[in-house]
Amino acid sequence: MTKRSVASKKLWKIGAEEFNTQYFDYNKDGDLIIKEGHNIYNVRYMAEKFGTSLEILMPFVIEERVEDFLDLVKDLSKKVKYQGKFFYHYPMKVNQNKEVVMALVGEGAHLETSSYNDLWLVKKMLEQETFNPNIRILCSGPKTDKYISLIDDLQHKGVKIFPLIEGPNELKFLQFSKYDVGIRLDMPIKASSYWNKPIDRFGFSAKEIINMGSFKNLKILHYHIGSQIEKLSDVIGPIKYALDVYFKIKEKNPSLDTLDIGGGMPIPYMRNKSYPVDKLMEKILKLIKHESEKRGLPHPNLVCEWGRYIVAPAQISVFKIIDTKKIANKKSPAKKWYVIDGSFMNDLLDTWAIGQKWAISPANNKHDANLNEVWLAGSSCDSDDIYTGVHGSVTLPDYDSSSGENMYVVVYDTGAYQDPLAAHHCMLSSPLKLIIENGHIVVARKRESPDDVGKNFGW
Ligand SMILES: *Cc1c(COP(=O)(O)O)cnc(C)c1O
């Protein structure tokens, strides 16, 4: 390995398990490569062959992450003598692309749907017999009449499907269901996460649920306080609270046997360390065990719905720099604009919507001796279509678009939420999507033509 590639790896935090970048490396020519066992994929090669903007999905990363996670819980349950069962449910809204969902299900994930249309996909796959009928489905999101009747339909067919009651209208329909249901607790303990609102519109307070008395088939107590919860104490506090409620309602609802702690496990987008998953999971299992034994009651089954944590690192987005421009203002932390052939507002919408930060590195880095501080701009005509980095700028190799060579940049961890949120501002086409696995490179979604995009707008 050359000195230069060692320096590049360090600078862009490539090859580090704690940041989920162990799949990446720089080769001796300064090209970013992706490693799957002994298979290697060259990112610059894929960008040149298939064109940019480009998304590269790595199902093997999803598979490895689910498998590691399920193994971890199994080992920890044994270690701490936790007797409840554990179910991992993938929330489909995080990324419902077929190749993502199938990779998860293939490793033993159960599913959580957020809408009638989500559940429709599940029904389709059950009919095509591409799912094991023992798969468990949780249904959250507002239950429209259509959603309820599809749940009903699947329950009749013997599918293990559990609607989670989140509002008064749903309560009316489902409280006396002859099938199993769950109920959502509106958690009064708040976490520092972008999504954790001071007043949540979903679920019922502890008092309300306790006063509801006895349900016919209440199985699950569920809550979800937000995504990307970065403090360990913000995860543990709500579990304690929910356990207290769980045991109170169990008195009148002996069928209750499962606690569902929702989503929240974070991803180190900004490449700073967070709490490790094994430490958190051990704490959770010990806490539930302790609280149950204190009351002389059996350990509940545990459900968790961490979608972002599993799928974000499984995709990267690759863009070409199509223009550069000096930033005249001397006070600016960035010296140049790099214009990409994709769009932050369209392809990585959270950049604009919630100020999401990303790790970014060059895909080809021949002349990395000179680094520059830059801002990135998307190809829409919108002045908001920019990304200014974690600390005010992005460090990339210096590049001049008149040099005749191409420069590509990679945005990491784009596998969660960005595809479902994608838009077509300025009629731009979405990135082409590649799947790489077992040495194959497959085009999963072609680049949209102007006609394809136009169809969305009635043309
Ligand atoms: C969005 C959502 C999740 C996903 O949480 P992440 O931590 O972002 O994966 C889980 N459960 C419910 C009910 C959700 O609405």
PDB file of all heavy atoms in Angstrom, residues 250-276:
ATOM      1  N   LYS A 250     -50.523  -5.151  31.858  1.00  0.00           N
ATOM      2  CA  LYS A 250     -50.546  -6.620  31.811  1.00  0.00           C
ATOM      3  C   LYS A 250     -51.496  -7.191  32.871  1.00  0.00           C
ATOM      4  O   LYS A 250     -52.086  -8.249  32.671  1.00  0.00           O
ATOM      5  CB  LYS A 250     -49.138  -7.196  31.967  1.00  0.00           C
ATOM      6  CG  LYS A 250     -49.089  -8.691  31.636  1.00  0.00           C
ATOM      7  CD  LYS A 250     -47.692  -9.214  31.486  1.00  0.00           C
ATOM      8  CE  LYS A 250     -47.681 -10.730  31.412  1.00  0.00           C
ATOM      9  NZ  LYS A 250     -48.335 -11.267  30.201  1.00  0.00           N
ATOM     10  N   GLU A 251     -51.682  -6.446  33.962  1.00  0.00           N
ATOM     11  CA  GLU A 251     -52.590  -6.925  35.016  1.00  0.00           C
ATOM     12  C   GLU A 251     -53.979  -7.229  34.463  1.00  0.00           C
ATOM     13  O   GLU A 251     -54.592  -8.235  34.791  1.00  0.00           O
ATOM     14  CB  GLU A 251     -52.716  -5.871  36.130  1.00  0.00           C
ATOM     15  CG  GLU A 251     -51.469  -5.781  36.997  1.00  0.00           C
ATOM     16  CD  GLU A 251     -51.479  -4.542  37.899  1.00  0.00           C
ATOM     17  OE1 GLU A 251     -52.578  -3.971  38.112  1.00  0.00           O
ATOM     18  OE2 GLU A 251     -50.387  -4.149  38.359  1.00  0.00           O
ATOM     19  N   LYS A 252     -54.465  -6.310  33.570  1.00  0.00           N
ATOM     20  CA  LYS A 252     -55.811  -6.515  33.018  1.00  0.00           C
ATOM     21  C   LYS A 252     -55.771  -7.183  31.650  1.00  0.00           C
ATOM     22  O   LYS A 252     -56.806  -7.490  31.067  1.00  0.00           O
ATOM     23  CB  LYS A 252     -56.522  -5.168  32.901  1.00  0.00           C
ATOM     24  CG  LYS A 252     -57.020  -4.658  34.237  1.00  0.00           C
ATOM     25  CD  LYS A 252     -57.885  -3.421  34.045  1.00  0.00           C
ATOM     26  CE  LYS A 252     -57.972  -2.624  35.322  1.00  0.00           C
ATOM     27  NZ  LYS A 252     -58.128  -1.192  35.064  1.00  0.00           N
ATOM     28  N   ASN A 253     -54.564  -7.315  31.088  1.00  0.00           N
ATOM     29  CA  ASN A 253     -54.419  -7.883  29.747  1.00  0.00           C
ATOM     30  C   ASN A 253     -53.365  -8.991  29.753  1.00  0.00           C
ATOM     31  O   ASN A 253     -52.246  -8.796  29.299  1.00  0.00           O
ATOM     32  CB  ASN A 253     -53.992  -6.790  28.756  1.00  0.00           C
ATOM     33  CG  ASN A 253     -55.059  -5.737  28.562  1.00  0.00           C
ATOM     34  OD1 ASN A 253     -56.017  -5.941  27.812  1.00  0.00           O
ATOM     35  ND2 ASN A 253     -54.907  -4.617  29.240  1.00  0.00           N
ATOM     36  N   PRO A 254     -53.759 -10.151  30.263  1.00  0.00           N
ATOM     37  CA  PRO A 254     -52.752 -11.221  30.370  1.00  0.00           C
ATOM     38  C   PRO A 254     -52.179 -11.658  29.020  1.00  0.00           C
ATOM     39  O   PRO A 254     -51.112 -12.253  28.980  1.00  0.00           O
ATOM     40  CB  PRO A 254     -53.513 -12.367  31.048  1.00  0.00           C
ATOM     41  CG  PRO A 254     -54.946 -11.985  31.058  1.00  0.00           C
ATOM     42  CD  PRO A 254     -55.070 -10.527  30.806  1.00  0.00           C
ATOM     43  N   SER A 255     -52.890 -11.347  27.927  1.00  0.00           N
ATOM     44  CA  SER A 255     -52.363 -11.747  26.607  1.00  0.00           C
ATOM     45  C   SER A 255     -51.154 -10.901  26.186  1.00  0.00           C
ATOM     46  O   SER A 255     -50.402 -11.287  25.294  1.00  0.00           O
ATOM     47  CB  SER A 255     -53.468 -11.627  25.546  1.00  0.00           C
ATOM     48  OG  SER A 255     -53.967 -10.300  25.516  1.00  0.00           O
ATOM     49  N   LEU A 256     -50.957  -9.758  26.834  1.00  0.00           N
ATOM     50  CA  LEU A 256     -49.833  -8.882  26.492  1.00  0.00           C
ATOM     51  C   LEU A 256     -48.517  -9.605  26.781  1.00  0.00           C
ATOM     52  O   LEU A 256     -48.268 -10.045  27.898  1.00  0.00           O
ATOM     53  CB  LEU A 256     -49.922  -7.599  27.337  1.00  0.00           C
ATOM     54  CG  LEU A 256     -48.861  -6.527  27.093  1.00  0.00           C
ATOM     55  CD1 LEU A 256     -49.039  -5.882  25.729  1.00  0.00           C
ATOM     56  CD2 LEU A 256     -48.903  -5.457  28.181  1.00  0.00           C
ATOM     57  N   ASP A 257     -47.682  -9.730  25.757  1.00  0.00           N
ATOM     58  CA  ASP A 257     -46.417 -10.439  25.998  1.00  0.00           C
ATOM     59  C   ASP A 257     -45.213  -9.844  25.266  1.00  0.00           C
ATOM     60  O   ASP A 257     -44.130 -10.430  25.287  1.00  0.00           O
ATOM     61  CB  ASP A 257     -46.558 -11.935  25.655  1.00  0.00           C
ATOM     62  CG  ASP A 257     -46.794 -12.174  24.175  1.00  0.00           C
ATOM     63  OD1 ASP A 257     -46.777 -11.202  23.393  1.00  0.00           O
ATOM     64  OD2 ASP A 257     -46.992 -13.344  23.777  1.00  0.00           O
ATOM     65  N   THR A 258     -45.389  -8.682  24.600  1.00  0.00           N
ATOM     66  CA  THR A 258     -44.297  -8.156  23.770  1.00  0.00           C
ATOM     67  C   THR A 258     -44.140  -6.651  23.938  1.00  0.00           C
ATOM     68  O   THR A 258     -45.125  -5.913  23.922  1.00  0.00           O
ATOM     69  CB  THR A 258     -44.590  -8.472  22.276  1.00  0.00           C
ATOM     70  OG1 THR A 258     -44.706  -9.885  22.126  1.00  0.00           O
ATOM     71  CG2 THR A 258     -43.481  -7.968  21.372  1.00  0.00           C
ATOM     72  N   LEU A 259     -42.884  -6.228  24.094  1.00  0.00           N
ATOM     73  CA  LEU A 259     -42.572  -4.802  24.127  1.00  0.00           C
ATOM     74  C   LEU A 259     -41.830  -4.447  22.836  1.00  0.00           C
ATOM     75  O   LEU A 259     -40.846  -5.091  22.485  1.00  0.00           O
ATOM     76  CB  LEU A 259     -41.691  -4.472  25.342  1.00  0.00           C
ATOM     77  CG  LEU A 259     -41.276  -3.004  25.452  1.00  0.00           C
ATOM     78  CD1 LEU A 259     -42.473  -2.114  25.765  1.00  0.00           C
ATOM     79  CD2 LEU A 259     -40.184  -2.809  26.509  1.00  0.00           C
ATOM     80  N   ASP A 260     -42.341  -3.425  22.137  1.00  0.00           N
ATOM     81  CA  ASP A 260     -41.751  -2.994  20.860  1.00  0.00           C
ATOM     82  C   ASP A 260     -41.167  -1.602  21.041  1.00  0.00           C
ATOM     83  O   ASP A 260     -41.901  -0.643  21.240  1.00  0.00           O
ATOM     84  CB  ASP A 260     -42.854  -3.013  19.791  1.00  0.00           C
ATOM     85  CG  ASP A 260     -42.388  -2.442  18.453  1.00  0.00           C
ATOM     86  OD1 ASP A 260     -41.228  -1.991  18.349  1.00  0.00           O
ATOM     87  OD2 ASP A 260     -43.211  -2.448  17.513  1.00  0.00           O
ATOM     88  N   ILE A 261     -39.817  -1.506  20.986  1.00  0.00           N
ATOM     89  CA  ILE A 261     -39.159  -0.234  21.309  1.00  0.00           C
ATOM     90  C   ILE A 261     -38.901   0.661  20.089  1.00  0.00           C
ATOM     91  O   ILE A 261     -38.181   1.658  20.172  1.00  0.00           O
ATOM     92  CB  ILE A 261     -37.839  -0.456  22.083  1.00  0.00           C
ATOM     93  CG1 ILE A 261     -36.835  -1.250  21.235  1.00  0.00           C
ATOM     94  CG2 ILE A 261     -38.117  -1.175  23.413  1.00  0.00           C
ATOM     95  CD1 ILE A 261     -35.429  -1.315  21.849  1.00  0.00           C
ATOM     96  N   GLY A 262     -39.490   0.305  18.929  1.00  0.00           N
ATOM     97  CA  GLY A 262     -39.414   1.173  17.753  1.00  0.00           C
ATOM     98  C   GLY A 262     -38.022   1.300  17.159  1.00  0.00           C
ATOM     99  O   GLY A 262     -37.187   0.404  17.302  1.00  0.00           O
ATOM    100  N   GLY A 263     -37.790   2.430  16.493  1.00  0.00           N
ATOM    101  CA  GLY A 263     -36.502   2.665  15.824  1.00  0.00           C
ATOM    102  C   GLY A 263     -35.601   3.533  16.670  1.00  0.00           C
ATOM    103  O   GLY A 263     -35.854   3.738  17.855  1.00  0.00           O
ATOM    104  N   GLY A 264     -34.516   4.036  16.074  1.00  0.00           N
ATOM    105  CA  GLY A 264     -33.689   5.017  16.761  1.00  0.00           C
ATOM    106  C   GLY A 264     -32.190   4.805  16.743  1.00  0.00           C
ATOM    107  O   GLY A 264     -31.427   5.734  16.970  1.00  0.00           O
ATOM    108  N   MET A 265     -31.728   3.561  16.480  1.00  0.00           N
ATOM    109  CA  MET A 265     -30.273   3.313  16.520  1.00  0.00           C
ATOM    110  C   MET A 265     -29.578   4.166  15.455  1.00  0.00           C
ATOM    111  O   MET A 265     -29.931   4.123  14.291  1.00  0.00           O
ATOM    112  CB  MET A 265     -30.023   1.825  16.287  1.00  0.00           C
ATOM    113  CG  MET A 265     -28.574   1.417  16.414  1.00  0.00           C
ATOM    114  SD  MET A 265     -28.001   1.489  18.129  1.00  0.00           S
ATOM    115  CE  MET A 265     -26.250   1.329  17.901  1.00  0.00           C
ATOM    116  N   PRO A 266     -28.576   4.971  15.874  1.00  0.00           N
ATOM    117  CA  PRO A 266     -28.000   5.944  14.936  1.00  0.00           C
ATOM    118  C   PRO A 266     -26.872   5.402  14.047  1.00  0.00           C
ATOM    119  O   PRO A 266     -26.336   4.325  14.302  1.00  0.00           O
ATOM    120  CB  PRO A 266     -27.430   7.009  15.882  1.00  0.00           C
ATOM    121  CG  PRO A 266     -27.038   6.242  17.097  1.00  0.00           C
ATOM    122  CD  PRO A 266     -28.023   5.107  17.221  1.00  0.00           C
ATOM    123  N   ILE A 267     -26.541   6.170  13.058  1.00  0.00           N
ATOM    124  CA  ILE A 267     -25.456   5.888  12.105  1.00  0.00           C
ATOM    125  C   ILE A 267     -24.414   7.006  12.245  1.00  0.00           C
ATOM    126  O   ILE A 267     -24.800   8.174  12.356  1.00  0.00           O
ATOM    127  CB  ILE A 267     -26.077   5.919  10.674  1.00  0.00           C
ATOM    128  CG1 ILE A 267     -26.805   4.609  10.384  1.00  0.00           C
ATOM    129  CG2 ILE A 267     -25.051   6.190   9.596  1.00  0.00           C
ATOM    130  CD1 ILE A 267     -25.899   3.412  10.289  1.00  0.00           C
ATOM    131  N   PRO A 268     -23.113   6.676  12.256  1.00  0.00           N
ATOM    132  CA  PRO A 268     -22.107   7.748  12.399  1.00  0.00           C
ATOM    133  C   PRO A 268     -21.873   8.522  11.093  1.00  0.00           C
ATOM    134  O   PRO A 268     -20.790   8.488  10.527  1.00  0.00           O
ATOM    135  CB  PRO A 268     -20.850   6.990  12.842  1.00  0.00           C
ATOM    136  CG  PRO A 268     -21.023   5.620  12.306  1.00  0.00           C
ATOM    137  CD  PRO A 268     -22.502   5.338  12.258  1.00  0.00           C
ATOM    138  N   TYR A 269     -22.907   9.215  10.636  1.00  0.00           N
ATOM    139  CA  TYR A 269     -22.800   9.987   9.386  1.00  0.00           C
ATOM    140  C   TYR A 269     -21.618  10.957   9.432  1.00  0.00           C
ATOM    141  O   TYR A 269     -20.971  11.203   8.451  1.00  0.00           O
ATOM    142  CB  TYR A 269     -24.062  10.829   9.170  1.00  0.00           C
ATOM    143  CG  TYR A 269     -25.311  10.058   8.836  1.00  0.00           C
ATOM    144  CD1 TYR A 269     -26.323   9.892   9.785  1.00  0.00           C
ATOM    145  CD2 TYR A 269     -25.512   9.519   7.567  1.00  0.00           C
ATOM    146  CE1 TYR A 269     -27.490   9.210   9.476  1.00  0.00           C
ATOM    147  CE2 TYR A 269     -26.672   8.837   7.257  1.00  0.00           C
ATOM    148  CZ  TYR A 269     -27.663   8.686   8.216  1.00  0.00           C
ATOM    149  OH  TYR A 269     -28.819   8.013   7.913  1.00  0.00           O
ATOM    150  N   MET A 270     -21.421  11.549  10.615  1.00  0.00           N
ATOM    151  CA  MET A 270     -20.398  12.590  10.723  1.00  0.00           C
ATOM    152  C   MET A 270     -19.068  12.018  11.181  1.00  0.00           C
ATOM    153  O   MET A 270     -18.152  12.746  11.525  1.00  0.00           O
ATOM    154  CB  MET A 270     -20.874  13.686  11.660  1.00  0.00           C
ATOM    155  CG  MET A 270     -22.066  14.438  11.086  1.00  0.00           C
ATOM    156  SD  MET A 270     -22.446  15.881  12.045  1.00  0.00           S
ATOM    157  CE  MET A 270     -23.762  15.275  13.072  1.00  0.00           C
ATOM    158  N   ARG A 271     -18.988  10.696  11.199  1.00  0.00           N
ATOM    159  CA  ARG A 271     -17.743  10.005  11.541  1.00  0.00           C
ATOM    160  C   ARG A 271     -17.246  10.351  12.932  1.00  0.00           C
ATOM    161  O   ARG A 271     -16.043  10.474  13.158  1.00  0.00           O
ATOM    162  CB  ARG A 271     -16.650  10.283  10.484  1.00  0.00           C
ATOM    163  CG  ARG A 271     -17.055   9.888   9.047  1.00  0.00           C
ATOM    164  CD  ARG A 271     -17.420   8.436   8.972  1.00  0.00           C
ATOM    165  NE  ARG A 271     -17.768   7.983   7.612  1.00  0.00           N
ATOM    166  CZ  ARG A 271     -18.934   7.422   7.281  1.00  0.00           C
ATOM    167  NH1 ARG A 271     -19.903   7.264   8.167  1.00  0.00           N
ATOM    168  NH2 ARG A 271     -19.148   6.991   6.061  1.00  0.00           N
ATOM    169  N   ASN A 272     -18.191  10.548  13.860  1.00  0.00           N
ATOM    170  CA  ASN A 272     -17.784  10.572  15.262  1.00  0.00           C
ATOM    171  C   ASN A 272     -18.448   9.391  15.962  1.00  0.00           C
ATOM    172  O   ASN A 272     -19.525   8.943  15.579  1.00  0.00           O
ATOM    173  CB  ASN A 272     -18.088  11.899  15.945  1.00  0.00           C
ATOM    174  CG  ASN A 272     -19.439  12.431  15.560  1.00  0.00           C
ATOM    175  OD1 ASN A 272     -20.224  11.718  14.944  1.00  0.00           O
ATOM    176  ND2 ASN A 272     -19.730  13.669  15.898  1.00  0.00           N
ATOM    177  N   LYS A 273     -17.762   8.897  16.982  1.00  0.00           N
ATOM    178  CA  LYS A 273     -18.199   7.643  17.580  1.00  0.00           C
ATOM    179  C   LYS A 273     -19.485   7.819  18.382  1.00  0.00           C
ATOM    180  O   LYS A 273     -19.665   8.816  19.062  1.00  0.00           O
ATOM    181  CB  LYS A 273     -17.107   7.100  18.498  1.00  0.00           C
ATOM    182  CG  LYS A 273     -15.993   6.442  17.719  1.00  0.00           C
ATOM    183  CD  LYS A 273     -15.021   5.758  18.663  1.00  0.00           C
ATOM    184  CE  LYS A 273     -13.633   5.795  18.065  1.00  0.00           C
ATOM    185  NZ  LYS A 273     -12.618   5.281  18.958  1.00  0.00           N
ATOM    186  N   SER A 274     -20.323   6.798  18.281  1.00  0.00           N
ATOM    187  CA  SER A 274     -21.548   6.782  19.074  1.00  0.00           C
ATOM    188  C   SER A 274     -21.452   5.577  20.014  1.00  0.00           C
ATOM    189  O   SER A 274     -20.420   4.925  20.062  1.00  0.00           O
ATOM    190  CB  SER A 274     -22.726   6.672  18.119  1.00  0.00           C
ATOM    191  OG  SER A 274     -23.917   6.679  18.837  1.00  0.00           O
ATOM    192  N   TYR A 275     -22.525   5.292  20.735  1.00  0.00           N
ATOM    193  CA  TYR A 275     -22.491   4.111  21.602  1.00  0.00           C
ATOM    194  C   TYR A 275     -22.512   2.846  20.738  1.00  0.00           C
ATOM    195  O   TYR A 275     -23.184   2.798  19.727  1.00  0.00           O
ATOM    196  CB  TYR A 275     -23.651   4.114  22.593  1.00  0.00           C
ATOM    197  CG  TYR A 275     -25.008   4.389  21.979  1.00  0.00           C
ATOM    198  CD1 TYR A 275     -25.768   3.356  21.443  1.00  0.00           C
ATOM    199  CD2 TYR A 275     -25.534   5.679  21.935  1.00  0.00           C
ATOM    200  CE1 TYR A 275     -27.014   3.601  20.880  1.00  0.00           C
ATOM    201  CE2 TYR A 275     -26.769   5.936  21.366  1.00  0.00           C
ATOM    202  CZ  TYR A 275     -27.499   4.897  20.841  1.00  0.00           C
ATOM    203  OH  TYR A 275     -28.709   5.138  20.285  1.00  0.00           O
ATOM    204  N   PRO A 276     -21.749   1.828  21.147  1.00  0.00           N
ATOM    205  CA  PRO A 276     -21.737   0.598  20.349  1.00  0.00           C
ATOM    206  C   PRO A 276     -23.008  -0.219  20.559  1.00  0.00           C
ATOM    207  O   PRO A 276     -23.589  -0.219  21.643  1.00  0.00           O
ATOM    208  CB  PRO A 276     -20.508  -0.158  20.854  1.00  0.00           C
ATOM    209  CG  PRO A 276     -20.172   0.425  22.170  1.00  0.00           C
ATOM    210  CD  PRO A 276     -20.822   1.765  22.287  1.00  0.00           C
TER     211      PRO A 276
END
